[in-house]
mmCIF file of all heavy atoms in Angstrom:
data_model
loop_
_atom_site.group_PDB
_atom_site.id
_atom_site.type_symbol
_atom_site.label_atom_id
_atom_site.label_comp_id
_atom_site.label_asym_id
_atom_site.label_seq_id
_atom_site.Cartn_x
_atom_site.Cartn_y
_atom_site.Cartn_z
ATOM 1 N N LYS A 276 76.604 148.890 52.139
ATOM 2 C CA LYS A 276 75.292 148.946 51.447
ATOM 3 C C LYS A 276 75.400 149.467 50.028
ATOM 4 O O LYS A 276 75.822 150.588 49.816
ATOM 5 C CB LYS A 276 74.307 149.749 52.268
ATOM 6 C CG LYS A 276 73.981 149.166 53.661
ATOM 7 C CD LYS A 276 73.006 150.107 54.390
ATOM 8 C CE LYS A 276 72.668 149.547 55.765
ATOM 9 N NZ LYS A 276 71.772 150.446 56.517
ATOM 10 N N GLY A 277 74.946 148.692 49.054
ATOM 11 C CA GLY A 277 74.884 149.139 47.686
ATOM 12 C C GLY A 277 76.206 149.167 46.950
ATOM 13 O O GLY A 277 76.245 149.706 45.830
ATOM 14 N N GLN A 278 77.248 148.679 47.537
ATOM 15 C CA GLN A 278 78.591 148.759 46.840
ATOM 16 C C GLN A 278 78.624 147.843 45.598
ATOM 17 O O GLN A 278 77.999 146.775 45.574
ATOM 18 C CB GLN A 278 79.726 148.336 47.790
ATOM 19 C CG GLN A 278 79.802 146.823 48.057
ATOM 20 C CD GLN A 278 80.998 146.454 48.872
ATOM 21 O OE1 GLN A 278 80.909 146.076 50.030
ATOM 22 N NE2 GLN A 278 82.215 146.623 48.263
ATOM 23 N N PRO A 279 79.278 148.305 44.533
ATOM 24 C CA PRO A 279 79.447 147.418 43.392
ATOM 25 C C PRO A 279 80.314 146.194 43.738
ATOM 26 O O PRO A 279 81.142 146.241 44.631
ATOM 27 C CB PRO A 279 80.217 148.307 42.382
ATOM 28 C CG PRO A 279 79.943 149.715 42.827
ATOM 29 C CD PRO A 279 79.813 149.646 44.319
ATOM 30 N N LEU A 280 80.051 145.068 43.092
ATOM 31 C CA LEU A 280 80.750 143.858 43.312
ATOM 32 C C LEU A 280 81.745 143.526 42.221
ATOM 33 O O LEU A 280 81.843 144.265 41.227
ATOM 34 C CB LEU A 280 79.766 142.674 43.527
ATOM 35 C CG LEU A 280 78.714 142.862 44.648
ATOM 36 C CD1 LEU A 280 77.803 141.667 44.681
ATOM 37 C CD2 LEU A 280 79.412 143.118 45.964
ATOM 38 N N PHE A 281 82.453 142.461 42.395
ATOM 39 C CA PHE A 281 83.538 142.063 41.432
ATOM 40 C C PHE A 281 82.993 142.042 40.005
ATOM 41 O O PHE A 281 83.639 142.516 39.073
ATOM 42 C CB PHE A 281 84.105 140.722 41.821
ATOM 43 C CG PHE A 281 84.888 140.055 40.735
ATOM 44 C CD1 PHE A 281 86.117 140.581 40.288
ATOM 45 C CD2 PHE A 281 84.374 138.954 40.047
ATOM 46 C CE1 PHE A 281 86.825 139.967 39.295
ATOM 47 C CE2 PHE A 281 85.088 138.352 39.040
ATOM 48 C CZ PHE A 281 86.322 138.902 38.605
ATOM 49 N N SER A 282 81.784 141.426 39.807
ATOM 50 C CA SER A 282 81.269 141.290 38.452
ATOM 51 C C SER A 282 81.078 142.654 37.799
ATOM 52 O O SER A 282 81.286 142.819 36.588
ATOM 53 C CB SER A 282 79.935 140.519 38.493
ATOM 54 O OG SER A 282 79.014 141.173 39.393
ATOM 55 N N ASP A 283 80.676 143.673 38.594
ATOM 56 C CA ASP A 283 80.498 145.022 38.032
ATOM 57 C C ASP A 283 81.829 145.606 37.581
ATOM 58 O O ASP A 283 81.897 146.216 36.491
ATOM 59 C CB ASP A 283 79.837 145.935 39.093
ATOM 60 C CG ASP A 283 78.512 145.407 39.616
ATOM 61 O OD1 ASP A 283 77.628 145.172 38.794
ATOM 62 O OD2 ASP A 283 78.406 145.208 40.836
ATOM 63 N N VAL A 284 82.850 145.491 38.375
ATOM 64 C CA VAL A 284 84.200 145.958 38.037
ATOM 65 C C VAL A 284 84.740 145.274 36.848
ATOM 66 O O VAL A 284 85.270 145.905 35.884
ATOM 67 C CB VAL A 284 85.134 145.863 39.265
ATOM 68 C CG1 VAL A 284 86.533 146.261 38.880
ATOM 69 C CG2 VAL A 284 84.634 146.711 40.424
ATOM 70 N N ASP A 285 84.607 143.941 36.797
ATOM 71 C CA ASP A 285 85.198 143.156 35.717
ATOM 72 C C ASP A 285 84.522 143.518 34.369
ATOM 73 O O ASP A 285 85.195 143.707 33.347
ATOM 74 C CB ASP A 285 84.990 141.682 35.995
ATOM 75 C CG ASP A 285 85.708 140.779 35.052
ATOM 76 O OD1 ASP A 285 86.996 140.779 35.069
ATOM 77 O OD2 ASP A 285 85.060 140.099 34.231
ATOM 78 N N LEU A 286 83.206 143.636 34.390
ATOM 79 C CA LEU A 286 82.472 144.016 33.174
ATOM 80 C C LEU A 286 82.835 145.387 32.703
ATOM 81 O O LEU A 286 82.910 145.647 31.456
ATOM 82 C CB LEU A 286 80.948 143.919 33.389
ATOM 83 C CG LEU A 286 80.347 142.531 33.431
ATOM 84 C CD1 LEU A 286 78.887 142.630 33.860
ATOM 85 C CD2 LEU A 286 80.438 141.854 32.108
ATOM 86 N N PHE A 287 83.157 146.307 33.560
ATOM 87 C CA PHE A 287 83.549 147.647 33.180
ATOM 88 C C PHE A 287 84.921 147.662 32.504
ATOM 89 O O PHE A 287 85.168 148.376 31.546
ATOM 90 C CB PHE A 287 83.588 148.591 34.396
ATOM 91 C CG PHE A 287 84.084 149.960 34.125
ATOM 92 C CD1 PHE A 287 83.266 150.923 33.522
ATOM 93 C CD2 PHE A 287 85.408 150.331 34.405
ATOM 94 C CE1 PHE A 287 83.725 152.172 33.210
ATOM 95 C CE2 PHE A 287 85.871 151.603 34.133
ATOM 96 C CZ PHE A 287 85.016 152.543 33.514
ATOM 97 N N LEU A 288 85.838 146.847 33.004
ATOM 98 C CA LEU A 288 87.220 146.837 32.540
ATOM 99 C C LEU A 288 87.439 146.123 31.214
ATOM 100 O O LEU A 288 88.342 146.466 30.421
ATOM 101 C CB LEU A 288 88.176 146.242 33.571
ATOM 102 C CG LEU A 288 88.428 147.111 34.786
ATOM 103 C CD1 LEU A 288 89.244 146.336 35.824
ATOM 104 C CD2 LEU A 288 89.120 148.414 34.407
ATOM 105 N N ARG A 289 86.610 145.142 30.907
ATOM 106 C CA ARG A 289 86.774 144.297 29.715
ATOM 107 C C ARG A 289 86.858 145.122 28.403
ATOM 108 O O ARG A 289 87.736 144.883 27.558
ATOM 109 C CB ARG A 289 85.738 143.220 29.612
ATOM 110 C CG ARG A 289 85.794 142.204 30.747
ATOM 111 C CD ARG A 289 87.007 141.291 30.640
ATOM 112 N NE ARG A 289 87.109 140.360 31.748
ATOM 113 C CZ ARG A 289 88.000 139.404 31.845
ATOM 114 N NH1 ARG A 289 88.791 139.171 30.846
ATOM 115 N NH2 ARG A 289 88.043 138.626 32.873
ATOM 116 N N PRO A 290 85.962 146.088 28.168
ATOM 117 C CA PRO A 290 85.998 146.832 26.908
ATOM 118 C C PRO A 290 87.287 147.667 26.734
ATOM 119 O O PRO A 290 87.614 148.032 25.612
ATOM 120 C CB PRO A 290 84.787 147.753 26.988
ATOM 121 C CG PRO A 290 83.862 147.047 27.949
ATOM 122 C CD PRO A 290 84.778 146.441 28.952
ATOM 123 N N PHE A 291 88.013 147.935 27.847
ATOM 124 C CA PHE A 291 89.282 148.677 27.750
ATOM 125 C C PHE A 291 90.420 147.742 27.352
ATOM 126 O O PHE A 291 91.574 148.190 27.220
ATOM 127 C CB PHE A 291 89.578 149.395 29.048
ATOM 128 C CG PHE A 291 88.698 150.556 29.350
ATOM 129 C CD1 PHE A 291 87.589 150.371 30.181
ATOM 130 C CD2 PHE A 291 88.916 151.772 28.804
ATOM 131 C CE1 PHE A 291 86.759 151.446 30.456
ATOM 132 C CE2 PHE A 291 88.099 152.879 29.073
ATOM 133 C CZ PHE A 291 87.000 152.672 29.910
ATOM 134 N N GLY A 292 90.181 146.451 27.280
ATOM 135 C CA GLY A 292 91.233 145.502 26.888
ATOM 136 C C GLY A 292 92.042 144.963 28.047
ATOM 137 O O GLY A 292 93.189 144.561 27.864
ATOM 138 N N PHE A 293 91.432 144.922 29.259
ATOM 139 C CA PHE A 293 92.153 144.357 30.389
ATOM 140 C C PHE A 293 91.669 142.952 30.685
ATOM 141 O O PHE A 293 90.487 142.601 30.622
ATOM 142 C CB PHE A 293 91.907 145.215 31.629
ATOM 143 C CG PHE A 293 92.579 146.556 31.647
ATOM 144 C CD1 PHE A 293 91.881 147.690 31.239
ATOM 145 C CD2 PHE A 293 93.924 146.639 32.036
ATOM 146 C CE1 PHE A 293 92.544 148.923 31.209
ATOM 147 C CE2 PHE A 293 94.556 147.879 31.960
ATOM 148 C CZ PHE A 293 93.894 149.014 31.590
ATOM 149 N N ASP A 294 92.659 142.076 30.966
ATOM 150 C CA ASP A 294 92.347 140.692 31.320
ATOM 151 C C ASP A 294 92.648 140.494 32.790
ATOM 152 O O ASP A 294 93.622 141.015 33.338
ATOM 153 C CB ASP A 294 93.252 139.731 30.524
ATOM 154 C CG ASP A 294 92.648 139.387 29.190
ATOM 155 O OD1 ASP A 294 91.430 139.582 29.000
ATOM 156 O OD2 ASP A 294 93.391 138.853 28.289
ATOM 157 N N LEU A 295 91.818 139.667 33.491
ATOM 158 C CA LEU A 295 92.044 139.300 34.871
ATOM 159 C C LEU A 295 93.212 138.318 34.888
ATOM 160 O O LEU A 295 93.126 137.245 34.227
ATOM 161 C CB LEU A 295 90.773 138.680 35.466
ATOM 162 C CG LEU A 295 90.906 138.177 36.875
ATOM 163 C CD1 LEU A 295 91.171 139.300 37.868
ATOM 164 C CD2 LEU A 295 89.683 137.416 37.325
ATOM 165 N N ILE A 296 94.253 138.604 35.659
ATOM 166 C CA ILE A 296 95.455 137.772 35.714
ATOM 167 C C ILE A 296 95.504 136.938 36.966
ATOM 168 O O ILE A 296 95.889 135.789 36.993
ATOM 169 C CB ILE A 296 96.735 138.632 35.617
ATOM 170 C CG1 ILE A 296 96.683 139.478 34.329
ATOM 171 C CG2 ILE A 296 97.944 137.785 35.643
ATOM 172 C CD1 ILE A 296 96.640 138.669 33.042
ATOM 173 N N ASP A 297 95.100 137.526 38.120
ATOM 174 C CA ASP A 297 95.222 136.812 39.379
ATOM 175 C C ASP A 297 94.245 137.389 40.372
ATOM 176 O O ASP A 297 93.790 138.555 40.244
ATOM 177 C CB ASP A 297 96.621 136.921 39.887
ATOM 178 C CG ASP A 297 96.967 135.949 41.060
ATOM 179 O OD1 ASP A 297 96.266 134.955 41.127
ATOM 180 O OD2 ASP A 297 97.930 136.202 41.769
ATOM 181 N N LEU A 298 93.912 136.588 41.429
ATOM 182 C CA LEU A 298 93.119 137.006 42.559
ATOM 183 C C LEU A 298 93.813 136.576 43.883
ATOM 184 O O LEU A 298 94.244 135.435 43.950
ATOM 185 C CB LEU A 298 91.729 136.357 42.494
ATOM 186 C CG LEU A 298 90.740 136.902 41.484
ATOM 187 C CD1 LEU A 298 89.481 135.958 41.465
ATOM 188 C CD2 LEU A 298 90.304 138.288 41.739
ATOM 189 N N ARG A 299 93.882 137.493 44.791
ATOM 190 C CA ARG A 299 94.324 137.163 46.128
ATOM 191 C C ARG A 299 93.142 137.228 47.067
ATOM 192 O O ARG A 299 92.634 138.313 47.427
ATOM 193 C CB ARG A 299 95.368 138.160 46.594
ATOM 194 C CG ARG A 299 95.938 137.971 48.004
ATOM 195 C CD ARG A 299 96.722 139.172 48.472
ATOM 196 N NE ARG A 299 97.432 138.868 49.702
ATOM 197 C CZ ARG A 299 97.985 139.843 50.448
ATOM 198 N NH1 ARG A 299 97.849 141.131 50.071
ATOM 199 N NH2 ARG A 299 98.636 139.559 51.547
ATOM 200 N N THR A 300 92.563 136.100 47.397
ATOM 201 C CA THR A 300 91.272 136.040 47.997
ATOM 202 C C THR A 300 91.355 136.133 49.545
ATOM 203 O O THR A 300 92.341 135.776 50.159
ATOM 204 C CB THR A 300 90.522 134.751 47.666
ATOM 205 O OG1 THR A 300 91.271 133.625 48.078
ATOM 206 C CG2 THR A 300 90.328 134.649 46.109
ATOM 207 N N VAL A 301 90.246 136.606 50.135
ATOM 208 C CA VAL A 301 90.094 136.714 51.569
ATOM 209 C C VAL A 301 88.767 136.097 51.938
ATOM 210 O O VAL A 301 87.725 136.442 51.346
ATOM 211 C CB VAL A 301 90.164 138.170 52.060
ATOM 212 C CG1 VAL A 301 89.962 138.209 53.572
ATOM 213 C CG2 VAL A 301 91.505 138.812 51.664
ATOM 214 N N SER A 302 88.770 135.181 52.896
ATOM 215 C CA SER A 302 87.541 134.570 53.401
ATOM 216 C C SER A 302 87.429 134.800 54.859
ATOM 217 O O SER A 302 88.392 134.874 55.604
ATOM 218 C CB SER A 302 87.545 133.033 53.042
ATOM 219 O OG SER A 302 88.558 132.368 53.760
#
Side-chain angles (χ1 to χ4, degrees):
K276 294 179 181 179
Q278 73 173 111
L280 301 180
F281 164 70
S282 57
D283 303 304
V284 173
D285 190 68
L286 284 172
F287 176 80
L288 288 174
R289 294 289 174 173
F291 291 96
F293 288 97
D294 274 343
L295 178 65
I296 303 299
D297 194 21
L298 287 172
R299 181 194 190 193
T300 61
V301 178
S302 64

